[in-house]
Amino acid sequence: MSDNNTRILFTDLDGTLLNDKKEITPGNQAAVNEALAAGHKVVISTGRPLDSGMIIAQRAGLVREGCYVIAFNGGQIYDIYHKKTIFGKQLPMNLAKAVFQEAVNRGLHIQSYSDTEVLVLEDSMEIKRYVKGTEMGYRVVKNLDEAVPVDPYKLLAISFDDRPKIEKFQREVVEPLAGTARSFFSNDAYLEIVPEGISKGFAVKWMCEYLGIPIENSVAAGDAENDVEMLEAAHVGAVMCNAFPGVAEHGDYVTEHDNNHDGLGEIIRKFILK
């Protein structure tokens, strides 16, 4: 539990905590260290799988008391210091298999996840680009049963060159599943398919309640469409000046510095260490 002076920072990874080289700038690192030393909480909030989020957490030294990962856009919440999942909600396997198969039928790349790997039915340019950005391994499996071996936290459909095709898939296949599943874009190419009710915004509220931190002490930092609900849920929604078009209107503050020039450090010093 926390006292009313404890603040909590929810930070996206790509375009926010990380620069364009997927590194943490020294200024961001110093600010994060100061926040933790002062007793505040730092939560990595990502659409990536837990394994990928943990790679960044370890690199940033975010493995001490007060550090958490929200993975899969809120589907899994992990206490890094105590090494345990504290929340999880998954898609039903039969529904996930049906969505996966329909994407394949339409010639779309779609992937599922094990604890440590991305699971795909064929080797492709999409999976190679994805794992390069997330630093995860992947495995090409033989059939649908191997592609979706358990209830997954999320599925990810990717189309780098045909946004209308993937929007049609969203409209015709995922939207009719309202009540069980929902979807949204985390960038121009990635369609995230997650359980109903799951979002980074849900995770903000859940974490504050779980830790006993007033929502008034919460700050969220992000740059993309899948950050919007998080930016709106937190007391302060801080948007990176390098954010995707349309994201800034959902925040309370836009940084002066981008993700390559300590923009997250600016947010921490202004709203967490104030």
Side-chain angles (χ1 to χ4, degrees), residues 66-208:
C67 298
Y68 301 84
V69 176
I70 292 167
F72 296 110
N73 291 299
Q76 184 179 17
I77 304 177
Y78 188 78
D79 181 333
I80 298 174
Y81 183 71
H82 294 103
K83 298 181 179 172
K84 64 177 184 179
T85 294
I86 53 178
F87 173 85
K89 186 177 182 182
Q90 291 138 299
L91 290 163
M93 190 193 303
N94 287 344
L95 177 139
K97 283 182 177 177
V99 171
F100 200 108
Q101 185 62 57
E102 186 56 36
V104 171
N105 293 348
R106 291 167 179 242
L108 279 169
H109 171 89
I110 190 163
Q111 60 194 48
S112 183
Y113 302 85
S114 72
D115 285 345
T116 56
E117 296 174 305
V118 187
L119 304 175
V120 293
L121 283 176
E122 61 179 58
D123 224 333
S124 66
M125 170 270 292
E126 287 87 357
I127 187 62
K128 285 181 167 62
R129 281 180 66 174
Y130 176 83
V131 296
K132 187 178 180 186
T134 58
E135 302 180 54
M136 286 190 75
Y138 72 95
R139 183 155 48 96
V140 180
V141 296
K142 297 188 193 74
N143 55 48
L144 193 58
D145 289 338
E146 290 184 27
V148 188
V150 295
D151 296 352
Y153 286 109
K154 80 167 187 179
L155 301 175
L156 183 68
I158 301 176
S159 178
F160 290 111
D161 55 9
D162 196 343
R163 171 86 178 217
K165 185 176 180 180
I166 208 166
E167 286 175 343
K168 188 169 189 274
F169 171 74
Q170 179 186 36
R171 194 166 55 248
E172 295 178 356
V173 179
V174 188
E175 287 178 5
L177 301 173
T180 309
R182 65 184 294 253
S183 63
F184 47 84
F185 283 88
S186 54
N187 62 32
D188 286 340
Y190 289 4
L191 180 68
E192 313 269 347
I193 303 158
V194 300
E196 184 66 54
I198 290 301
S199 70
K200 291 185 181 184
F202 157 81
V204 165
K205 295 170 187 171
W206 192 93
M207 282 293 300
C208 286

Side-chain angles (χ1 to χ4, degrees), residues 16-38:
T16 305
L17 175 64
L18 303 178
N19 64 15
D20 291 347
K21 295 179 181 176
K22 309 288 187 185
E23 299 165 340
I24 297 146
T25 63
N28 282 350
Q29 184 72 69
V32 163
N33 291 347
E34 280 184 52
L36 287 169

Side-chain angles (χ1 to χ4, degrees), residues 48-67:
R48 297 183 188 200
L50 177 62
D51 200 52
S52 180
M54 285 299 299
I55 290 169
I56 305 299
Q58 284 156 356
R59 192 176 299 156
L62 294 173
V63 292
R64 61 190 100 166
E65 185 92 62
C67 298

Side-chain angles (χ1 to χ4, degrees), residues 27-28 31 238-241 253-258 261-273:
N28 282 350
V239 181
M240 302 297 293
C241 66
Y253 176 79
V254 177
T255 62
E256 293 176 27
H257 301 90
D258 66 15
H261 299 91
D262 309 333
L264 185 70
E266 175 190 331
I267 292 166
I268 290 171
R269 296 191 188 287
K270 190 170 183 72
F271 297 109
I272 298 290
L273 295 170

